[in-house]
Structures are given as C-alpha cells and as structure tokens.
C-alpha cells in the first residue's frame, strides 16, 4: 500500500540500467530510478545524450525517473521528452546543480562534497532553493521538490540541527505555495547519534522529525539508513 503522512515517499536504490521491473504475485510494481545513477552530473553530457539516457531508461522498463537537478536544461524541454516517452518524473533533487557549481578545480579533497553541501544546504540557502526551484519542479511535472542533502555543519549541535529544521519548515511553506510538496534526502550523518549535550543519543533525523511540520516529507535512502543504523527500512519509517 502507499506510504502516507510523514513516511518516506520513495526509496531509491542504485540499480543497473538493465534492471527489470519486479513482479509481486500478479502485480507489476511501479519502478523508478534516480538519473544520477546513470549519468552523474547531466550538464556536461549535452542534451542529445541526456535525452538518449531518458529513452534508454524507459526502454528497459522503468516507469519513472527522479531528476538530479535540471542539469541546465529547461523544465519544459525535459517534460516534453519524458511525456513523449511515457516516463513519469515524480520528484527532483533540488540543490544538486548548485553543488556541482561550487566544486573547485580538481584534484578534490576526499571530503569535498560535504564541504560544498555545507554551503548549498545552509539555513538561508535551503529556503532560497525552495523559492527558486519549487516552481521549475512543478513545471517539469514533479510533485516533490527534494532537498538533496544536508552537509555536516547543520548537524554539529542541537542548535544547528534545529536551525536546519526551521529552514525545512520555511522551505516547505514556500514549496506548498508553489504547488509541490517538500521532501528531504538524508545521508549518513543525519542517522549518527549526537555524542554529547541535551540530545545525546538522539540522531539528527529524529530531532528534525520532531521539529518540522507534518506535511514535510522525507525520501529514505535505504543504503545510508541500513549501513549506519543497521535497521530495516520499514522500521526506519516507523520512527517518524
């Protein structure tokens, strides 16, 4: 059955493009894929190749694709292509394009993506991402604008985690005004319990869940939740 309320709206598993849709009993499950799994940063490949990847995704049996940002392509152009293919776009990771824009020239520090995420997903930037990108997310045909990370600086203390929760609340209000729901994609640090202070033993995920509006969704990446806390996805969902 469909997950509701504060439960995860989708769980993306990195999968090869040749994956077939699973069959449960007599029912064929709806199957989607995050385009980053296939193309990485879609901007450098050019529209012709990006468009071809969308076609390949549909041809092997996927029903939908989650966008990793817009890769510099207009929402209406992406939407026209996917509608022609019969490929749904349920959600878009917002902030993804901006992370790549902030990367310095190579070689990269091993922790470079977390450092850049600290900028892109800072308190003020999370709100601004919703203000600028919720509309394009709606225009591409998606229902969910997904804050695609949180960096590390947001979770160094209870105060910083609470500020991030407040940013999600503000971004959620903006997104809903623009006709989409706000979601958030946690990685590993959000599941790591705080080691000291009043929230000792609590994970940032739980602090955020307790301090954000019930209409705010999250997207469960079962790799991170299972690897860090060793918990079955259905039990993770029951936490919220």
């Amino acid at each position: 059955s469909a997950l509701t309320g504060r439960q995860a709206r989708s769980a993306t598993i990195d999968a090869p493009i040749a994956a077939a849709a699973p069959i449960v009993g007599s029912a064929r499950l709806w199957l989607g894929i995050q385009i980053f799994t296939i193309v990485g940063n879609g901007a450098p490949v050019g529209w012709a190749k990006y468009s071809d990847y969308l076609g390949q995704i549909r041809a092997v049996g996927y029903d939908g694709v989650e966008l990793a940002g817009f890769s510099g392509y207009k929402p209406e152009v992406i939407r026209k292509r996917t509608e022609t293919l019969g490929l749904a776009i349920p959600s878009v990771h917002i902030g993804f394009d901006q992370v790549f824009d902030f990367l310095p020239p190579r070689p990269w520090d091993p922790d470079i993506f977390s450092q850049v995420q600290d900028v892109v997903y800072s308190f003020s930037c999370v709100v601004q991402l919703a203000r600028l990108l919720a509309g394009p997310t709606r225009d591409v045909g998606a229902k969910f604008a997904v804050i695609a990370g949180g960096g590390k600086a947001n979770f160094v203390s209870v105060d910083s985690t609470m500020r991030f929760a407040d940013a999600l609340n503000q971004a959620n209000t903006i997104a809903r005004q623009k006709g989409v729901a706000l979601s958030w994609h946690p990685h590993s640090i959000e599941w790591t319990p705080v080691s000291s202070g009043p929230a000792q033993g609590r994970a940032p995920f739980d602090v955020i869940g307790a301090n954000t509006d019930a209409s705010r969704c999250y997207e469960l990446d079962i790799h991170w939740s299972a690897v860090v806390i060793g918990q079955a996805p259905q039990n993770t969902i029951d936490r919220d």
Side-chain angles (χ1 to χ4, degrees):
S1 61
L3 302 179
T4 59
R6 291 292 298 277
Q7 297 176 333
R9 299 295 174 161
S10 62
T12 302
I13 306 174
D14 288 349
I17 195 168
I23 305 296
V24 178
S26 61
R28 177 188 178 280
L29 298 181
W30 193 97
L31 186 64
I33 192 167
Q34 163 59 255
I35 197 169
F36 180 74
T37 307
I38 307 303
V39 70
N41 179 13
V45 303
W47 172 251
K49 192 167 186 179
Y50 186 91
S51 176
D52 183 60
Y53 279 128
L54 293 171
Q56 292 182 53
I57 287 169
R58 183 59 178 143
V60 298
Y62 285 99
D63 302 289
V65 61
E66 180 180 59
L67 300 184
F70 296 96
S71 301
Y73 310 122
K74 293 181 179 180
E76 58 267 28
V77 173
I78 299 174
R79 183 170 185 169
K80 182 178 180 180
R81 172 61 171 156
T82 54
E83 286 182 346
T84 299
L85 293 167
L87 188 67
I89 302 176
S91 52
V92 178
H93 274 196
I94 61 174
F96 190 91
D97 295 319
Q98 290 69 32
V99 165
F100 278 90
D101 288 341
F102 268 96
L103 287 173
R106 293 177 185 268
W108 290 339
D109 183 273
D111 198 38
I112 189 62
F113 278 93
S114 291
Q115 295 174 38
V116 172
Q117 285 182 346
D118 284 342
V119 177
V120 174
Y121 300 118
S122 64
F123 173 91
S124 59
C125 285
V126 163
V127 177
Q128 192 68 359
L129 285 172
R131 185 172 290 117
L132 294 176
L133 295 173
T137 297
R138 174 201 61 219
D139 294 344
V140 83
K143 295 181 179 179
F144 298 96
V146 185
I147 299 296
K152 291 184 177 180
N154 281 318
F155 310 116
V156 296
S157 68
V158 176
D159 287 343
S160 63
T161 303
M162 290 291 289
R163 285 196 297 272
F164 184 70
D166 187 43
L168 289 177
N169 281 327
Q170 293 189 41
N172 181 46
T173 298
I174 293 167
R176 290 170 65 83
Q177 290 170 348
K178 292 180 181 289
V180 295
L182 187 86
S183 188
W184 160 58
H185 184 101
H187 290 83
S188 59
I189 192 171
E190 294 93 331
W191 302 104
T192 304
V194 176
S195 59
S196 61
Q200 183 175 357
R202 296 182 67 194
F205 175 85
D206 297 319
V207 175
I208 292 165
N211 291 281
T212 48
D213 188 82
S215 63
R216 190 271 307 159
C217 307
Y218 71 94
E219 180 182 63
L220 177 61
D221 186 322
I222 62 175
H223 165 75
W224 291 118
S225 65
V227 167
V228 176
I229 62 176
Q231 187 165 266
Q234 62 269 29
N235 294 333
T236 304
I237 291 169
D238 287 341
R239 290 167 66 139
D240 194 33

